[in-house]
């Protein structure tokens, strides 16, 4: 006699299938968002350098006070770029962690099904 009755195994198998479907949906959504985020980041990551080059050209043509404000703005823009890069990295980690959690959960269900 097994640890679980046939009806219990069926319930566990159904839960496993639902869990797998939900996890795959979440993983797919995370991957799609990651792809969009990476694409947007890659398209715009050169903007800060271009802006810095532009500021360097303008600096000599501006009043010292205005040049200082522009440099301060450039610094803030660089912080935004770092945040965007961290967002891409965090999304990549989230994607990896979700796939790992899905595999682990399915493995645990399989253990219960074949006990």
């Amino acid at each position: 006699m097994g640890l679980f009755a046939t009806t219990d195994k069926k319930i566990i198998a159904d839960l496993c299938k639902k869990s797998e479907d939900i996890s795959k949906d979440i993983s797919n959504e995370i991957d799609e968002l990651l792809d969009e985020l990476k694409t947007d980041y890659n398209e715009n990551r050169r903007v800060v350098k271009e802006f810095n080059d532009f500021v360097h050209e303008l600096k000599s043509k501006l009043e010292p006070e205005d040049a200082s404000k522009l440099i301060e703005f450039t610094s803030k823009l660089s912080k935004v770029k770092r945040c965007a890069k961290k967002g891409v990295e965090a999304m990549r980690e989230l994607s990896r962690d979700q796939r790992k959690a899905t595999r682990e959960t399915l493995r645990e269900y399989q253990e219960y099904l074949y006990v």
Side-chain angles (χ1 to χ4, degrees), residues 38-100:
K38 283 194 309 192
T39 300
D40 289 345
Y41 177 77
N42 287 332
E43 287 175 1
N44 295 298
R45 68 186 221 186
R46 290 179 269 297
V47 170
V48 173
K49 179 165 180 2
E50 291 171 8
F51 188 74
N52 284 335
D53 293 343
F54 181 65
V55 167
H56 185 68
E57 289 175 25
L58 281 180
K59 207 167 34 173
S60 61
K61 299 174 186 175
L62 296 173
E63 295 293 323
E65 185 178 306
D66 292 334
S68 176
K69 287 180 184 177
L70 197 54
I71 290 170
E72 184 180 325
F73 182 74
T74 302
S75 174
K76 290 177 183 179
L77 192 58
S78 294
K79 289 178 185 177
V80 170
K81 180 183 175 186
R82 281 193 297 274
C83 288
K85 186 174 182 178
K86 286 180 182 178
V88 171
E89 291 168 359
M91 204 59 171
R92 188 178 300 122
E93 287 179 29
L94 179 64
S95 177
R96 185 195 69 227
D97 291 347
Q98 173 61 29
R99 285 191 304 272
K100 183 180 174 182

